[in-house]
């Protein structure tokens, strides 16, 4: 259940008609429902009630400043993976003491930025990263709170591109090698060993892989205890899936209670890094039909949003439901919905039965609130779409559409080129 509903054949977000928003801001645009985001947070938090925990939203899923600010106001922290994400969450007013920093490739300037901000914890992904962090903390005369991200080698049974907890993945430190890293870390000046972290993958539709991972982490925690290394935080990552089509992921309450049952008795504060489950079904991408084109055997609906706006279908062959914004009731047909980009993989839906569409009609690509705008690019020099946040009967343009000037800002033509003859 979310805020995107049909009333008399017209798609609404809360009390506002999508068509009216499109008339006002143009297309394509992302539309997020604030009440839906808030409800997802409440449901997630409810499932962890009574357990010492901190939820750190995975910013890579949706980095819109207004969305981040709304989450921050609800006591949610952030899981960041770059200096840019850290900059944005601080700008959005998220408490640095609620920020964890993950990612295999933290640069020195990014490490310095996080040390200066005073974040909760660095999730360390390699031995060299640990050494660099210790050195930077010493130079800046700061203390670096760390968790080691281990790779528990469990199969999340999700798309191979978004599984991260298998031995062959680049993420984390092999769980069998982690003990040595901890022994090393506790001896480092300026480093405070605070926790243990894992993230096994995204769009998981079963609880079992999460529980398998917790079991392996628990073995390591007790092994560390024997060595006199006591940890305060257990970061269980993100990864809970959502329904795009027919998937039946566990309800957040089922996930939460399973995790609490498995890890709630360790005396450690639990950290969660959900992304998709908070924002995925709280957002849509609205696009207008430019042309319909019939070739021998296929009908193409060519729309003004492409893989530069939403890359998931092209990248993962991901399914996104497509709704028409105003139903005309003139029959259905099987079509490919494609964008304007010059790539054959630029599609939003293939061989999809949809209501008959024609020039000027609006479509809504559903479940686009996570990994939509954050993965958008300027490919084919297309300005990035606008982002709109709806709160019941009000909408806010929270990110204006890029202009052509935005496309060249930062670029220069060296005089030498202009002075050169043929
Ligand atoms: N924590 C870490 C360390 C992560 O790498 C991720 C996602 C998350 C948390 C949040 O996972 P979530 O709760 O959203 O599943 N672009 C792909 C998804 C990539 C996910 C990468 N890491 C997609 O569009 O499906």
């Amino acid at each position: 259940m979310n805020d995107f509903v049909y009333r008399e054949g017209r798609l609404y977000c809360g009390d506002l008609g999508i068509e009216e928003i499109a008339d006002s801001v143009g297309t394509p645009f992302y539309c997020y429902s604030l009440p839906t985001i808030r409800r997802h947070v409440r449901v997630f938090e409810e499932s962890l009630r009574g357990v010492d925990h901190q939820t750190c939203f995975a910013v890579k899923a949706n980095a819109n400043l207004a969305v981040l600010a709304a989450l921050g106001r609800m006591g949610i922290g952030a899981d960041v993976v770059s200096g840019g994400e850290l900059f944005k969450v601080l700008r959005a007013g998220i408490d640095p003491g609620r920020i964890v920093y993950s990612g295999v490739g933290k640069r020195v300037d990014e490490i310095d930025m996080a040390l200066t901000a005073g974040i909760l914890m660095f999730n360390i992904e390699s031995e060299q990263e640990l050494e660099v962090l210790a050195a930077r903390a010493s130079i800046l005369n700061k203390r670096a709170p760390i968790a080691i991200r281990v790779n528990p080698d469990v199969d999340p049974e999700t798309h191979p591109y978004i599984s991260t907890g298998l031995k062959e993945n680049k993420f984390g430190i092999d769980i069998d090698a982690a003990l040595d890293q901890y022994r090393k870390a506790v001896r480092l000046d300026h480093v405070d060993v605070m926790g243990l972290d894992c993230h096994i993958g995204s769009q998981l539709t079963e609880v079992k892989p999460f529980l398998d991972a917790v079991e392996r982490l628990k073995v390591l925690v007790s092994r560390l205890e024997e060595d006199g290394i006591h940890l305060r935080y257990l970061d269980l990552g993100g990864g809970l899936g959502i329904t795009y089509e027919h998937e039946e992921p566990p309800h957040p309450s089922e996930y939460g209670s399973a995790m609490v049952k498995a890890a709630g008795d360790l005396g450690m504060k639990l950290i969660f890094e959900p992304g998709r489950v908070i924002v995925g079904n709280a957002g849509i991408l609205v696009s207008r039909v430019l042309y319909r084109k019939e070739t021998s055997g296929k009908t193409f609906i060519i729309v003004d949003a492409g893989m530069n706006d939403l890359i998931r279908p092209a990248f993962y062959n991901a399914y996104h439901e497509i709704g028409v914004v105003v139903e005309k009731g003139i029959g259905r047909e099987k079509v490919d919905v494609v964008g304007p980009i010059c790539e054959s993989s630029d599609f939003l839906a293939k061989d999809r039965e949809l209501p008959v569409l024609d020039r000027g009609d609006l479509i809504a690509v559903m479940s686009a609130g996570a990994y939509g705008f954050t993965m958008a690019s300027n490919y084919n020099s297309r300005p990035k779409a606008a982002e709109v946040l709806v709160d019941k009967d009000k909408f806010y343009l929270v990110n204006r559409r890029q202009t052509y000037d935005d496309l060249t800002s930062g670029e220069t033509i060296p005089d030498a080129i202009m002075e050169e003859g043929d």
Side-chain angles (χ1 to χ4, degrees):
M1 241 299 281
N2 57 48
D3 226 15
F4 299 100
V5 286
Y6 281 94
R7 287 185 211 112
E8 289 163 14
R10 289 169 175 266
L11 183 61
Y12 283 77
C13 179
D15 300 333
L16 292 182
I18 296 297
E19 193 184 23
E20 283 71 52
I21 303 175
D23 287 343
S24 163
V25 304
T27 54
F29 68 97
Y30 277 92
C31 176
Y32 311 124
S33 156
L34 185 58
T36 306
I37 294 173
R38 287 190 173 137
R39 192 167 45 76
H40 289 170
V41 169
R42 279 195 295 270
V43 168
F44 195 86
E45 291 299 289
E46 186 68 22
S47 77
L48 303 167
R49 201 158 55 152
V51 180
D52 190 17
H53 76 281
Q54 175 64 51
T55 300
C56 297
F57 175 67
V59 176
K60 60 176 83 64
N62 189 314
N64 180 275
L65 218 49
V67 169
L68 296 175
L71 293 171
R73 293 300 292 260
M74 296 183 82
I76 301 300
D79 163 47
V80 302
V81 292
S82 68
E85 287 190 355
L86 178 58
F87 173 82
K88 291 191 87 171
V89 300
L90 293 173
R91 197 35 85 87
I94 290 185
D95 179 355
R98 292 179 174 158
I99 298 173
V100 295
Y101 188 175
S102 308
V104 293
K106 305 178 186 79
R107 285 191 330 219
V108 166
D109 60 300
E110 294 174 314
I111 288 174
D112 287 359
M113 190 177 164
L115 281 169
T116 308
I119 64 165
L120 175 62
M121 212 159 68
F122 290 83
N123 289 335
I124 297 293
E125 305 226 15
S126 67
E127 184 168 1
Q128 285 196 345
E129 183 193 335
L130 179 59
E131 289 163 3
V132 171
L133 176 61
R136 297 311 302 174
S138 163
I139 289 166
L140 298 177
N141 199 22
K142 302 270 181 200
R143 301 213 54 87
I146 67 136
I148 290 183
R149 174 169 176 185
V150 298
N151 185 337
D153 194 25
V154 297
D155 186 354
E157 290 161 26
T158 183
H159 191 287
Y161 281 18
I162 50 177
S163 92
T164 46
L166 280 171
K167 259 206 168 103
E168 63 255 38
N169 295 133
K170 69 174 174 179
F171 299 98
I173 289 176
D174 214 337
I175 193 156
D176 303 321
L179 189 57
D180 277 351
Q181 290 305 316
Y182 273 104
R183 286 179 177 144
K184 192 177 154 186
V186 290
R187 287 198 304 268
L188 290 170
D189 288 338
H190 294 275
V191 168
D192 293 326
V193 176
M194 306 294 287
L196 172 60
D197 166 48
C198 85
H199 168 80
I200 56 172
S202 199
Q203 183 54 16
L204 271 70
T205 52
E206 304 287 338
V207 175
K208 190 171 175 299
F210 290 114
L211 294 177
D212 290 349
V214 172
E215 283 319 306
R216 292 186 191 181
L217 297 186
K218 281 168 93 169
V219 174
L220 180 57
V221 168
S222 55
R223 190 65 199 78
L224 288 166
E225 294 271 330
E226 287 167 20
D227 260 45
I229 301 173
H230 306 290
L231 303 178
R232 265 182 67 191
Y233 298 103
L234 185 63
D235 184 338
L236 297 171
L240 184 58
I242 61 169
T243 302
Y244 286 98
E245 189 180 10
H246 302 306
E247 304 92 330
E248 290 180 359
H251 189 269
S253 63
E254 190 190 331
Y255 164 84
S257 58
M259 300 302 258
V260 167
K261 201 165 152 221
D265 60 350
L266 291 168
M268 297 166 84
K269 181 164 181 161
L270 302 183
I271 294 178
F272 294 92
E273 302 171 355
R276 192 186 317 261
V277 73
I278 303 295
V279 289
N281 278 322
I284 62 173
L285 170 63
V286 180
S287 179
R288 203 177 281 280
V289 177
L290 296 174
Y291 304 106
R292 60 175 289 136
K293 165 164 142 172
E294 276 150 44
T295 60
S296 55
K298 259 205 191 285
T299 300
F300 292 99
I301 301 297
I302 303 165
V303 299
D304 65 1
M307 65 190 285
N308 61 306
D309 297 300
L310 180 69
I311 204 174
R312 302 192 72 257
F315 209 14
Y316 312 111
N317 202 18
Y319 178 96
H320 283 263
E321 194 183 313
I322 293 196
V324 296
V325 171
V326 180
E327 283 170 355
K328 295 183 294 188
I330 52 169
R332 297 173 73 82
E333 61 182 346
K334 198 177 257 188
V335 296
D336 279 13
V337 180
V338 300
I341 298 287
C342 303
E343 299 271 351
S344 296
S345 63
D346 180 27
F347 68 93
L348 296 171
K350 268 198 175 149
D351 292 325
R352 190 76 62 83
E353 201 184 284
L354 290 178
V356 172
L357 287 162
D358 208 341
R359 215 171 129 61
D361 291 339
L362 290 167
I363 63 158
V365 186
M366 310 307 285
S367 311
Y371 307 107
F373 190 87
T374 51
M375 294 180 81
S377 78
N378 288 124
Y379 189 38
N380 281 197
S381 292
R382 303 192 72 85
K384 285 192 196 169
E387 291 176 289
V388 164
L389 186 66
V390 174
D391 188 10
K392 303 186 191 82
D393 59 353
K394 285 198 194 64
F395 83 87
Y396 306 95
L397 180 62
V398 288
N399 192 9
R400 63 154 174 83
R401 182 179 314 288
Q402 278 189 329
T403 62
Y404 288 139
D405 276 335
D406 289 331
L407 295 182
T408 51
S409 76
E411 292 192 38
T412 49
I413 304 173
D415 287 346
I417 288 179
M418 299 307 282
E419 283 156 13
E420 248 169 46
D422 292 336

